[in-house]
Amino acid sequence: EEGSNANTTNVDNGVNEHVGTNSSGYKVITTTAAATYFKILHWCTTTNSDKGLGGIQSPGGSYNTGPELYTQVRIEDLATAVKGLSGSYNGGVNVKDYGAVGDGSTDDTAAIQSAISTGRMVFFPVGQYKITSKLLASDKTYLYGEGRASEIINQTNDVTALELQGPYSTVKDLTIKHYASSEWGIRVNGAHHTMINNVYVTGSKVGYGGIYLGAPGESAAFLSTLNFCEVRNFTYNCVRVESTGTLISIQDCHIGSTVVGCHGLVIRSDGVHVINGQIGANSKHLPPSGVNPGKKGNAIRVENTAGGDVSGPSIEGCTFEKVDTGEYNTHIETYGINITGSGGKLVNTTIRDIKWNVIQQGTLVRFHKSKGGRLVNPKITNPTGGGTLCTFRDDSQDDIITVDT
């Protein structure tokens, strides 16, 4: 009650709290509870001599003597402040408050969709959230968890796990386990200015595709970013960029598959920037029957299928790593970066400071359907079996290699 210094109220955790107003006009509370939830709009410290104005008491309910400091908090609404004990914060909602169980066997699709439909930030506490149909998010959606232990699992139905259909959306600190045979883990459709940050997407060698940014005929995903993501072990593409519009950034990501014939990153859009990270694909052998027959995986495949020339991507600071399982390109006539296509040329592609560690008979960069491409300061370390730094096809034009020795 405004203006009173000694009112007492009971909240739903049974703790007595004293609500008052201090000399500065801030509404403050005192409590004997060690764990009470407040939404803090303002805080300051007071000495014990000011305790009558409402500092938080020390556990046990008595003020200690001496110059110890107590905290004052200003709250906008007491009922709202003590709500959300299940773990949601920042004004968001918790999927468990909408009925999600997170035990890996209960179908949590409807509960999660209900939480998303509130239009508020949606929090996934640690758990395994099974879904059986597509989760659909509109504009300004914000989904977040507690890192890899917050898992969305799509293992039974051939559906997209999560589709973002509106701009200014964020997905962060989550795992998506996606085993659909012909659909994507995350599909960005019309969601420009989307940020996907610290998300682990895995197909466990059976899922079709990881992250799809803008399919043909869909709205653009321009000015979208993938940061600190790991997208692994799909059968078709781990990440595919096919959006109209420019300025899509992929930074510090680990992208690759042990499935033969799967491309790590496919770029079919102009103005894409790939910065740092580790990219790979398995091309040790030809794919088995039914899995991308006749194709060998490229770590990064850049394609132009348009009738005219388009701007190529910039690729900087990436590492292409060959591991003992043959995970990354190791076969002759396979490529770390393949600049190719069936249409016009890719113009001014810039590749800088990339490294291939332990290559066997493969080619680091292939310029085909390229014009004015630049390969600056590439490095092959620990070559075994003979690797090729770069090749040019007859229809490439004005491409330049600069090596810092």
Side-chain angles (χ1 to χ4, degrees), residues 55-388:
I56 293 182
Q57 292 175 331
S58 55
S62 61
Y63 290 100
N64 295 326
T65 59
E68 296 188 15
L69 299 179
Y70 300 89
T71 302
Q72 296 182 338
V73 294
R74 181 186 177 189
I75 59 175
E76 62 178 4
D77 178 77
L78 183 58
T80 301
V82 298
K83 185 176 174 58
L85 301 181
S86 54
S88 60
Y89 55 97
N90 290 337
V93 298
N94 188 322
V95 293
K96 290 193 172 183
D97 290 338
Y98 287 79
V101 179
D103 62 0
S105 58
T106 303
D107 186 355
D108 289 325
T109 310
I112 296 172
Q113 188 63 62
S114 293
I116 292 174
S117 297
T118 65
R120 300 171 66 184
M121 299 171 66
V122 179
F123 173 58
F124 293 77
V126 171
Q128 296 178 314
Y129 300 92
K130 177 183 175 181
I131 62 171
T132 55
S133 60
K134 177 169 59 179
L135 299 173
L136 186 61
S138 59
D139 62 312
K140 301 177 183 176
T141 295
Y142 195 112
L143 311 179
Y144 66 108
E146 297 186 77
R148 289 205 178 192
S150 297
E151 301 179 357
I152 297 173
I153 303 174
N154 179 30
Q155 61 184 10
T156 55
N157 293 348
D158 189 18
V159 296
T160 295
L162 172 63
E163 182 164 338
L164 304 174
Q165 286 194 339
Y168 305 103
S169 295
T170 298
V171 182
K172 64 180 295 186
D173 301 332
L174 286 167
T175 288
I176 296 180
K177 294 183 176 179
H178 180 70
Y179 308 147
S181 60
S182 66
E183 296 291 346
W184 294 86
I186 300 176
R187 190 182 186 107
V188 180
N189 173 16
H192 56 82
H193 292 82
T194 289
M195 183 180 74
I196 302 175
N197 187 32
N198 191 33
V199 174
Y200 175 48
V201 188
T202 177
S204 296
K205 303 182 184 179
V206 294
Y208 175 76
I211 299 176
Y212 197 0
L213 293 169
E218 295 180 351
S219 299
F222 58 86
L223 287 168
S224 293
T225 62
L226 270 62
N227 295 322
F228 305 105
C229 293
E230 184 170 353
V231 189
R232 304 271 290 153
N233 286 333
F234 287 92
T235 63
Y236 179 56
N237 299 159
C238 291
V239 177
R240 188 177 182 92
V241 182
E242 206 160 353
S243 170
T244 57
T246 59
L247 300 178
I248 293 174
S249 174
I250 300 171
Q251 184 168 352
D252 295 299
C253 292
H254 186 184
I255 300 169
S257 180
T258 60
V259 178
V260 289
C262 176
H263 299 310
L265 169 62
V266 174
I267 299 172
R268 304 185 75 182
S269 175
D270 58 339
V272 176
H273 304 278
V274 184
I275 306 168
N276 301 330
Q278 181 170 304
I279 319 288
N282 183 5
S283 295
K284 189 173 183 179
H285 306 290
L286 288 173
S289 176
V291 180
N292 299 325
K295 293 185 179 180
K296 301 173 183 178
N298 302 149
I300 299 178
R301 183 177 180 88
V302 185
E303 299 179 353
N304 179 13
T305 58
D309 295 349
V310 298
S311 298
S314 66
I315 301 169
E316 180 176 352
C318 295
T319 298
F320 302 86
E321 190 83 16
K322 187 266 177 186
V323 297
D324 292 339
T325 59
E327 178 174 356
Y328 299 98
N329 287 333
T330 58
H331 197 283
I332 194 168
E333 297 180 357
T334 61
Y335 310 101
I337 302 174
N338 190 4
I339 313 297
T340 185
S342 59
K345 287 182 169 57
L346 286 146
V347 181
N348 297 330
T349 298
T350 301
I351 304 168
R352 182 184 300 273
D353 297 324
I354 61 171
K355 182 176 72 173
W356 195 304
N357 187 27
V358 190
I359 182 174
Q360 294 178 342
Q361 297 185 330
T363 299
L364 181 55
V365 179
R366 178 197 189 215
F367 284 102
H368 171 221
K369 292 286 184 179
S370 175
K371 179 180 180 181
R374 299 291 185 270
L375 176 58
V376 181
N377 199 27
K379 288 183 172 63
I380 297 178
T381 61
N382 303 319
T384 58
T388 301

Side-chain angles (χ1 to χ4, degrees), residues 14-18 30-36 56-62:
V15 177
N16 286 330
E17 293 174 330
H18 303 281
T30 64
T31 179
T32 59
T36 304
I56 293 182
Q57 292 175 331
S58 55
S62 61

